[in-house]
Amino acid sequence: MPTLRPGVLSVTGRFRDNNEDSVYVDPGNRFVLVADGMGGQAAGERASSLAVEMIAEAIVGSVDFDGADEGEVAAALDAAVADTNEQIMELGKSKPEFHQMGTTVVFLIAAGGGLFVGNVGDSRAYRLAGDSLTQLTTDHSVTQALVDAGTITPDEARTHSYRNVLYRYLGTQEGSKPVEPQRIEAAAGERFVLCSDGVTDGIGPDQIRDLLEQHDEPDKAAQEIVRAAEEGGSRDNITCAVVIVDA
């Protein structure tokens, strides 16, 4: 199984009063989760923290990290996300302060001899292999749907008025759909970024790639990516996890 070396940083940013993002690193460095809550103040914070707590607990309890095959890992992740989605929806119905709460989530998991990546919402995962940075996840956003339809270009999507509008996230019926995680065979030295949209609100893929190439320690790379996003004008909470594959 690949050995992961993660580094993370999550900050409130310059334009928000509280941090609605959550990040979780498995104590055994087997997986990383990043979530970006929505719903305002306590609702967004509660949704994202609940998501990473519940999904992490479910992963540890249901995934055979050494022996699981691709289908078993996918089924476990789908169940974890669906159960978490139901809990967030129920909490949103039961307490007025949590009405319309929701969250994104993106994950990277080492299991069954490979890596698995998936997301719900617009938190992203990137992979740096050699000098090529690839976005592994697809945003569940209105602007991404417009790009896929050929209505707007990717450059236009970055500043589109609907760029932060999601059609799928945890806290809605759509959130229980299968995640369909992508299996990756990663070589030692490859680097991954998991981030909330606070990162991509401030910097683009080229700058993410450059900062990943410049720093061999994941904590330092995460710090520099967050700093660059802040200086680049990000108006959201900013959360970044950098994961380096060691073996």
Side-chain angles (χ1 to χ4, degrees):
M1 186 169 71
T3 300
L4 306 182
R5 182 159 47 101
V8 302
L9 181 62
S10 181
V11 302
T12 301
R14 299 177 179 177
F15 297 91
R16 297 294 183 94
D17 295 327
N18 64 310
N19 192 347
E20 296 182 88
D21 291 355
S22 294
V23 59
Y24 182 90
V25 176
D26 170 53
N29 290 342
R30 299 168 297 183
F31 62 89
V32 179
L33 306 167
V34 170
D36 180 357
M38 61 198 77
Q41 298 295 327
E45 290 181 14
R46 183 70 181 114
S48 67
S49 64
L50 184 64
V52 297
E53 290 166 9
M54 287 193 63
I55 294 173
E57 183 178 0
I59 289 171
V60 170
S62 62
V63 173
D64 178 356
F65 291 93
D66 293 323
D69 62 28
E70 184 172 352
E72 290 169 338
V73 174
L77 292 171
D78 285 344
V81 168
D83 289 346
T84 301
N85 186 62
E86 292 300 318
Q87 289 294 320
I88 291 173
M89 289 180 64
E90 287 301 314
L91 187 57
K93 293 174 184 176
S94 66
K95 295 187 176 183
E97 64 268 31
F98 294 147
H99 182 56
Q100 293 186 333
M101 72 189 304
T103 184
T104 70
V105 68
V106 60
F107 57 78
L108 174 70
I109 299 172
L115 298 179
F116 293 83
V117 175
N119 74 306
V120 181
D122 62 353
S123 292
R124 294 180 179 176
Y126 292 91
R127 177 191 193 182
L128 179 67
D131 59 358
S132 177
L133 185 77
T134 304
Q135 182 178 330
L136 298 173
T137 53
T138 299
D139 294 350
H140 299 130
S141 65
V142 172
T143 51
Q144 184 61 52
L146 292 173
V147 169
D148 292 344
T151 305
I152 62 174
T153 67
D155 284 342
E156 290 171 333
R158 288 200 67 191
T159 57
H160 197 279
S161 58
Y162 288 166
R163 66 186 180 278
N164 295 321
V165 179
L166 305 181
Y167 63 83
R168 181 181 171 193
Y169 55 90
L170 300 186
T172 66
Q173 292 293 341
E174 296 289 314
S176 290
K177 286 185 174 180
V179 180
E180 298 180 348
Q182 178 183 170
R183 181 186 170 98
I184 298 168
E185 300 296 334
E190 291 190 14
R191 303 173 183 204
F192 294 83
V193 169
L194 279 66
C195 61
S196 65
D197 66 348
V199 168
T200 51
D201 188 43
I203 58 175
D206 288 346
Q207 196 167 358
I208 292 174
R209 181 198 63 221
D210 291 346
L211 290 169
L212 283 178
E213 290 177 338
Q214 290 169 20
H215 301 285
D216 293 328
E217 290 301 322
D219 281 318
K220 181 63 174 177
Q223 290 167 12
E224 290 303 310
I225 289 171
V226 168
R227 180 193 58 77
E230 225 175 356
E231 293 181 353
S234 177
R235 302 186 66 84
D236 206 344
N237 307 138
I238 308 171
T239 299
C240 178
V242 172
V243 180
I244 297 178
V245 179
D246 279 338

